Amino acid sequence: HTIWFSQVAGWKLAAPPVQYTPDNLFEYIDGGADAFLQFDFDELLTASYVNAQKVEVTVDIYRHRSAARAFGIYTQERPPGSVALPIGTEGNAGPDHLEFVAGPAYVKLAQAGGKETSFLRVFADKIAAGLPGTREPPPVLKCFPPKGKRPRAEKLAARNFLGHAFLHDAVAAPYQIEGTPFRLFAIEGKDEGDARAMVQRYSAAA
């Protein structure tokens, strides 16, 4: 499992990476596991690096069934309107944490100690370079017109969109034009027949 944890000069792994699966993810993120399982979570690999000054950087690599699913859980946790970082497909950061998505991996980094210097970007760039998969966001995002759209506030839903079990693979984008807030959403079917079936069932429910 160390294949995803790049070597960083001056740092060493405190211990071998630990793996979590859909069956025991709740042991690591009690209360948050269900959200990840909704997005077809496959496994979590987590490890911590330390340097000579005892600064610790924890790297959590959540692997999902597809790049779209990884990007989906990332949008659920991304602060709306945050500044995008050019890491992998996209990233964002705070003073002691950094998150990014690359291919089917959603990566979360946290730093403990050494507050005067953040090492997270160095680790993020190294980890991202070793991850496989696309660096393009889901193509469906291109269908939303830019006028009035809140920046970087789209949220993807894997299933149970709008409370309906038959609506899956949806994107909701918040807008505000002339003081009026509203949402636009797009839902992707597996094929034309699936899309038509969702429209018919939604029309009946509405």
Side-chain angles (χ1 to χ4, degrees), residues 134-176:
T134 181
R135 298 301 188 259
E136 294 296 322
V140 67
L141 295 177
K142 296 178 181 179
C143 78
F144 291 94
K147 181 180 179 181
K149 184 165 69 70
R150 291 183 60 195
R152 291 168 41 75
E154 307 94 337
K155 291 187 180 297
L156 279 66
R159 47 183 59 88
N160 298 322
F161 184 58
L162 300 178
H164 296 294
F166 56 86
L167 294 180
H168 60 85
D169 295 281
V171 184
Y175 282 76
Q176 182 164 323

Side-chain angles (χ1 to χ4, degrees), residues 58-84:
T58 300
V59 179
D60 296 340
I61 303 176
Y62 294 84
R63 291 181 58 249
H64 292 258
R65 198 168 302 167
S66 68
R69 290 292 189 254
F71 194 86
I73 187 64
Y74 167 78
T75 65
Q76 291 293 323
E77 298 193 335
R78 173 183 62 185
S82 57
V83 177

Side-chain angles (χ1 to χ4, degrees), residues 19-27 33 37 41-45:
Q19 180 192 47
Y20 292 88
T21 68
D23 292 330
N24 66 352
L25 180 62
F26 68 91
E27 296 177 5
L37 296 178
F41 163 82
D42 277 337
E43 70 170 346
L44 162 65
L45 299 174

Side-chain angles (χ1 to χ4, degrees), residues 73-204:
I73 187 64
Y74 167 78
T75 65
Q76 291 293 323
E77 298 193 335
R78 173 183 62 185
S82 57
V83 177
L85 295 179
I87 306 172
T89 304
E90 182 185 297
N92 68 85
D96 58 359
H97 65 89
L98 187 154
E99 296 82 37
F100 71 89
V101 62
Y106 172 37
V107 183
K108 305 174 74 168
L109 302 94
Q111 178 176 322
K115 296 300 183 182
E116 66 279 358
T117 303
S118 176
F119 300 98
L120 296 178
R121 183 61 187 271
V122 173
F123 276 88
D125 287 337
K126 286 275 191 179
I127 298 293
L131 292 173
T134 181
R135 298 301 188 259
E136 294 296 322
V140 67
L141 295 177
K142 296 178 181 179
C143 78
F144 291 94
K147 181 180 179 181
K149 184 165 69 70
R150 291 183 60 195
R152 291 168 41 75
E154 307 94 337
K155 291 187 180 297
L156 279 66
R159 47 183 59 88
N160 298 322
F161 184 58
L162 300 178
H164 296 294
F166 56 86
L167 294 180
H168 60 85
D169 295 281
V171 184
Y175 282 76
Q176 182 164 323
I177 295 179
E178 296 181 357
T180 301
F182 60 94
R183 287 197 307 165
L184 295 180
F185 61 83
I187 304 174
E188 290 189 279
K190 298 175 183 177
D191 51 35
E192 183 177 349
D194 183 37
R196 288 184 179 276
M198 285 194 289
V199 170
Q200 291 170 355
R201 296 187 67 177
Y202 182 69
S203 297

